[in-house]
């Protein structure tokens, strides 16, 4: 592709659109649906930059697409200034969109395992839905601090066909198993042979999962989060090792994770570019 | 190893290839700068670093426009104290010249940062006196001949490494400021930084960048940057110039050499292509030189001034 082709690419051009629907998923998470033709073509694992006019522009994973209708949704956890503003917005409000950005999960078949924590379940649901009628079996481990923070349980149980293929964990035992997601994972890895394993969520969790799968010499694809500004691999805000998470990721395989294991789950750049502990 | 056709000397630095990474692009970490070197760059310029850390502006910090980008990052950087460690790490990883871009809010501050950067291993410095979107530094210095003279002179009195001065295109007479920098002791000039610009969204009737205004880079600015290099070369034949602004192909790079640049810097093209854009450009220049039966880039520097 010639440079001039990139420069007029619609991906990176800001488009405005109106919120069509807002749905409350939990005390802190809401799902937003809107029209955007470009992002409606996104693949699982890709993200977009959402502009809240006059406030901020933030990276969000794509949860769902209806490609023919050009409709997509994202799920947003209220954690600070930008997400609070977004949570106050109603259908009809105008937002800006750039994207989709980043690579995507490799869509493998066979016996599939997905492990999601917090809003990290978002891209995995998109992936699982894409895989559900192509694969033999999907097992999903989802974790949260407490019952009412577990996300998208109904959608997950649909995707997992069989009830016991959906494993939920909570820190306080208010639902499912009282433990971290890594416990049932360790058990499963000893019992079953998986063809592909995918994860997204808090990086300390991702790191533990990486160590476990390495021990079993299994492949892994993990989607990582870093501070993002330009979204197109230029500003350097999201680098981990030699990789730009926004452009070379957000999905990294076990070989790449091995190259960045010193920083994985340990440190990240803050807004000034200083490496701080995670 | 660089081919001898493409290798060059500029202000005492030896470059295997004529393209450098422009400041502010991927310049936070040793590993990402090394990747640009692997992609075929002859030198790297770091992110602009100051005495105190800066968080930069809130998003949106970059917006795409036709044939370019407008950015107002706000000079985010961890401060020289912390960045000195990254300079040391970079020196263990990167054999090619490491040029540290610095800025300050006074001549003294530029000099303090300069001293610390050199102590950490900088092979050369580039003075950012041209960032168009941060108050009391950058182009507010580079647009004022007296301030510019003082900053360059103070830094030159502090360090022994080559000092590049990066000029702003947002001036009436760039040659006047270029010659001011040269009089103050600059070893080379980088021409140019971004063009002051704005993008407005029609639906929301708002400026898009959080900082409202920013700097235009990429192909949209190329011929303005090229004119700046041409003007400087015409009046100041002896100062080496690094051409910068909108370069994305070997033809662009060659145009800058012909206008009078001895080397070039590339930033925005990395976003639309990849760090390997340098390799592609190197090959193109090499083929061009061969076709013209020339032995080195040096032979075409300033050739358009008939
Ligand atoms: C690739 C990617 C996908 C993401 N997907 C989702 C998602 O599907 N749902 C969801 O709720 N959240 C997601 N996030 C996180 C979301 O972007 C942040 O929660 C949001 O930016 C916080 O903004 P704030 O102003 O509300 O909070 P702030 O108070 O500004 O910050 C709270 C924390 O959010 C993080 N953060 C802030 N700004 C950014 C930024 N520009 N880039 C990355 N992280 C930032 C920082 O860790 C910060 O400490 C994703 C992040 C990335 C990088
Ligand atoms: C995202 C971004 C950040 C930049 N940051 C800096 C900086 O910190 N210091 C500086 O001197 N120039 C900075 N620049 C300007 C570039 O170094 C360069 O002068 C300009 O972008 C023109 O070259 P290009 O068209 O090849 O990008 C930045 C440019 C961009 C796009």
């Amino acid at each position: 592709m010639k440079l001039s082709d990139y420069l007029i690419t619609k991906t990176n051009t800001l488009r405005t659109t109106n919120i069509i629907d807002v749905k409350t998923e939990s005390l802190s998470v809401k799902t937003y649906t809107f029209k955007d033709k470009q992002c409606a073509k996104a693949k699982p694992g890709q993200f977009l930059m959402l502009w809240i006019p006059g406030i901020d522009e933030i990276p969000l994973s794509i949860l769902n697409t209806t490609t023919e209708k050009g409709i997509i949704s994202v799920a947003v956890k209220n954690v600070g200034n930008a997400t609070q503003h977004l949570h106050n917005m109603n259908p009809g409000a105008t937002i800006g969109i750039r994207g989709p950005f980043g690579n995507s999960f490799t869509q493998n078949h066979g016996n599939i395992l997905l492990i999601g924590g917090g809003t990290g379940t978002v891209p995995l649901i998109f992936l699982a839905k894409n895989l559900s009628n192509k694969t033999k079996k999907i097992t999903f481990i989802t974790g949260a601090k407490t019952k009412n923070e577990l996300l998208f349980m109904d959608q997950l149980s649909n995707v997992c066909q069989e009830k016991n293929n959906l494993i939920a964990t909570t820190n306080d035992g208010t639902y499912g198993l009282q433990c971290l997601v890594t416990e049932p994972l360790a058990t499963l890895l000893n019992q079953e042979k998986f063809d592909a394993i995918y994860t997204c969520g808090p990086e300390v969790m991702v790191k533990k999962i990486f160590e476990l799968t390495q021990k079993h010499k299994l492949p892994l694809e993990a989607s990582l989060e870093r501070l993002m500004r330009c979204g197109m691999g230029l500003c350097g805000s999201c680098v981990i090792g030699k990789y730009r998470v926004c452009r070379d990721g957000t999905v990294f395989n076990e070989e790449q994770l091995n190259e960045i294991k010193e920083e994985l789950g340990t440190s990240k750049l803050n807004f000034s570019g200083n490496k701080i502990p995670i | 190893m660089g081919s001898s056709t493409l290798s060059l000397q500029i202000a005492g630095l030896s470059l295997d290839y004529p393209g450098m990474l422009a400041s502010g692009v991927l310049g936070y970490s040793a590993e990402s700068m090394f990747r640009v070197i692997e992609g075929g760059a002859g030198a790297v310029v770091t992110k602009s670093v100051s005495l105190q850390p800066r968080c930069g502006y809130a998003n949106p910090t970059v917006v795409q426009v036709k044939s370019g980008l407008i950015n107002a990052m706000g000079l985010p950087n961890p401060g020289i104290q912390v960045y000195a460690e990254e300079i040391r790490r970079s020196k263990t990883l990167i054999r090619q010249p490491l040029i540290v871009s610095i800025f300050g809010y006074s001549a003294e501050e530029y000099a303090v940062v300069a001293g610390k950067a050199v102590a950490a291993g900088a092979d050369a410095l580039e003075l950012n006196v041209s960032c168009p979107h941060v108050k009391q530094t950058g182009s507010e210095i580079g647009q004022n001949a007296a301030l510019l003279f003082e900053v360059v002179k103070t830094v030159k009195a502090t360090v022994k490494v080559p000092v590049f001065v990066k000029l702003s295109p947002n001036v009436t007479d760039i040659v006047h400021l270029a010659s001011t920098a040269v009089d103050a002791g600059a070893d080379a000039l980088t021409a140019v930084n971004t063009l002051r610009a704005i993008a407005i969204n029609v639906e929301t009737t708002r400026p898009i960048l959080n900082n409202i205004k920013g700097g235009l880079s990429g192909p949209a600015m190329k011929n303005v940057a090229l004119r700046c290099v041409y003007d400087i070369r015409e009046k100041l034949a002896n100062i080496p110039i690094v051409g910068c602004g909108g370069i994305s192909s070997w033809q662009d790079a060659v145009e800058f050499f012909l206008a009078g640049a001895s080397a070039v810097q590339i930033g925005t093209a990395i976003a639309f292509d990849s760090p390997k854009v340098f390799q592609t450009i190197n090959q193109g220049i090499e083929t061009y030189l061969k076709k013209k039966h020339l032995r080195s880039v040096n032979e075409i520097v300033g050739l358009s001034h008939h």
Side-chain angles (χ1 to χ4, degrees):
Chain A
M1 202 186 258
K2 284 207 321 284
L3 179 79
S4 51
D5 299 333
Y6 280 101
L7 286 170
I8 50 164
T9 162
K10 290 187 185 133
T11 304
N12 197 36
T13 307
L14 182 80
R15 294 87 64 176
T16 44
T17 185
N18 295 331
I19 297 171
I20 299 173
D21 186 44
V22 182
K23 186 176 167 224
T24 301
E25 304 287 354
S26 76
L27 284 176
S28 59
V29 176
K30 288 185 184 180
T31 301
Y32 294 79
T33 303
F34 45 87
K35 252 196 175 128
D36 184 69
K37 276 197 199 125
Q38 289 298 117
C39 285
K41 292 181 212 150
K43 299 195 194 87
Q46 288 195 291
F47 68 98
L48 53 77
M49 294 295 292
L50 189 148
W51 181 44
I52 305 148
I55 306 295
D56 205 342
E57 183 187 40
I58 59 169
L60 294 168
S61 300
I62 292 163
L63 168 68
N64 214 345
T65 62
T66 315
T67 314
E68 323 79 63
K69 291 189 180 158
I71 287 175
I72 86 148
S73 26
V74 293
V76 185
K77 187 177 166 88
N78 182 352
V79 296
N81 185 44
T83 47
Q84 171 70 57
H85 271 89
L86 198 52
H87 269 235
N88 290 339
M89 291 169 94
N90 295 312
T94 304
I95 52 174
I97 301 293
R98 290 193 292 138
F101 294 118
N103 62 1
S104 55
F105 292 109
T106 316
Q107 301 199 19
N108 293 305
H109 300 187
N111 192 13
I112 306 293
L113 175 62
L114 304 98
I115 312 120
T119 50
T121 47
V122 173
L124 296 181
I125 289 176
F126 187 15
L127 174 67
K129 282 184 183 165
N130 262 261
L131 293 179
S132 66
N133 45 19
K134 300 174 200 153
T135 54
K136 206 168 76 200
K137 183 179 166 195
I138 290 179
T139 306
F140 206 116
I141 312 177
T142 181
K145 288 197 186 78
T146 183
K147 182 184 174 187
N148 54 26
E149 283 182 17
L150 280 171
L151 290 170
F152 307 108
M153 289 302 283
D154 45 347
Q155 297 191 38
L156 284 178
S157 53
N158 275 341
V159 153
C160 288
Q161 296 127 354
E162 282 170 55
K163 211 167 172 236
N164 55 1
N165 289 354
L166 173 59
I167 303 164
T169 70
T170 52
N171 295 8
D172 61 3
T174 44
Y175 189 90
L177 307 169
Q178 181 172 9
C179 59
L180 300 172
V181 290
T182 40
E183 265 185 51
L185 172 66
T187 317
L188 274 179
L189 293 184
N190 286 327
Q191 288 169 353
E192 266 182 68
K193 174 97 183 69
F194 292 99
D195 298 302
I197 306 174
Y198 305 94
T199 187
C200 182
E203 212 166 290
V204 179
M205 172 197 101
V206 171
K207 189 181 179 103
K208 281 200 190 122
I209 292 170
F210 173 58
E211 286 164 358
L212 271 172
T213 52
Q214 282 293 90
K215 218 173 74 186
H216 287 81
K217 299 199 168 53
L218 288 168
L220 176 70
E221 285 190 11
S223 170
L224 303 183
E225 286 186 10
R226 280 292 179 279
L227 190 65
M228 277 174 196
R229 284 197 263 226
C230 75
M232 51 180 139
L234 193 64
C235 74
S237 301
C238 67
V239 296
I240 177 164
K242 66 173 181 182
Y243 295 115
R244 303 164 294 178
V245 174
C246 75
R247 186 75 183 265
D248 307 313
T250 61
V251 179
F252 295 96
N253 64 25
E254 69 281 358
E255 275 168 40
Q256 295 171 311
L257 293 169
N258 199 42
E259 290 174 296
I260 54 176
K261 63 170 184 267
E262 258 82 68
E263 288 177 59
L264 184 69
T266 310
S267 65
K268 61 173 185 180
L269 299 184
N270 66 7
F271 280 97
S272 74
N274 193 2
K275 228 178 241 180
I276 54 160
I278 281 181
Chain B
M1 253 301 106
S3 76
S4 55
T5 345
L6 294 183
S7 64
L8 59 93
Q9 303 277 325
I10 184 164
L13 303 178
S14 300
L15 271 61
D16 290 343
Y17 303 106
M20 309 177 179
L21 171 69
S23 176
V25 174
L26 289 178
Y28 279 122
S29 76
E31 288 82 2
S32 45
M33 289 190 282
F34 182 61
R35 196 170 156 199
V36 176
I37 289 288
E38 286 182 315
V44 287
V45 186
T46 68
K47 255 204 141 29
S48 294
V49 195
S50 54
L51 190 56
Q52 301 297 337
R54 274 182 63 92
C55 286
Y57 300 133
N59 280 347
T61 44
V62 180
V63 51
Q64 185 189 312
V65 293
K66 283 186 185 127
S67 295
L69 300 174
I70 305 177
N71 92 81
M73 302 297 302
L75 294 175
N77 79 89
I80 189 65
Q81 213 70 25
V82 168
Y83 200 74
E85 185 48 37
E86 211 57 39
I87 296 174
R88 278 184 213 107
R89 279 187 352 100
S90 303
K91 285 305 293 175
T92 64
L93 210 59
I94 299 170
R95 191 182 51 80
Q96 283 74 3
L98 178 76
I99 303 169
V100 177
S101 170
I102 63 165
F103 70 99
Y105 301 87
S106 66
E108 289 68 37
E109 221 174 276
Y110 270 93
V112 173
V113 181
K116 288 183 195 284
V118 172
D123 296 308
L125 298 176
E126 183 177 87
L127 308 186
N128 180 351
V129 288
S130 45
C131 171
H133 55 250
V134 176
K135 289 205 165 67
Q136 286 161 9
T137 182
S139 57
E140 289 192 20
I141 290 171
Q143 291 165 340
N144 178 323
L147 273 178
L148 176 65
F149 187 87
E150 193 196 344
V151 166
V152 178
K153 187 145 187 108
T154 313
V155 171
K156 277 296 291 177
T158 313
V159 298
K160 293 210 167 59
V161 300
V163 173
F164 291 62
V165 176
K166 186 168 182 183
L167 299 170
S168 168
N170 307 303
V171 294
T172 319
D173 182 1
I174 195 164
V175 178
H176 173 58
L177 293 149
S179 70
T180 303
V182 173
D183 292 344
D187 298 288
L189 302 173
T190 304
V192 284
N193 210 315
T194 50
L195 280 170
R196 202 158 157 77
I198 190 170
I200 295 172
N201 175 262
V202 295
E203 286 308 322
T204 57
T205 69
R206 283 177 183 279
I208 298 170
L209 291 173
N210 200 291
N211 186 55
I212 299 172
K213 281 175 274 185
L216 176 68
S217 65
M221 74 171 296
K222 189 196 86 183
N223 294 81
V224 176
L226 191 64
R227 185 269 302 162
C228 290
V229 171
Y230 189 93
D231 281 355
I232 298 167
R233 172 72 184 198
E234 194 167 42
K235 294 281 156 53
L236 304 168
N238 297 323
I239 188 84
I241 305 166
V242 184
C244 176
I247 298 170
S248 62
S249 66
W250 69 264
Q251 290 95 332
D252 293 336
V254 168
E255 283 180 48
F256 274 85
F257 297 133
L258 295 172
S262 304
V264 293
Q265 289 182 2
I266 298 173
T268 303
I270 291 173
F272 296 108
D273 202 322
S274 83
K276 289 203 179 102
V277 64
F278 288 96
Q279 266 165 20
T280 316
I281 290 177
N282 289 342
Q283 281 157 11
I285 300 171
E286 201 161 13
T287 311
Y288 170 82
L289 292 174
K290 240 184 227 148
K291 212 177 78 195
K292 296 268 178 196
H293 306 293
L294 299 167
R295 269 163 300 143
S296 89
V297 174
N298 215 12
E299 294 182 45
I300 61 168
V301 173
L303 210 59
S304 69
H305 295 261
H306 290 282

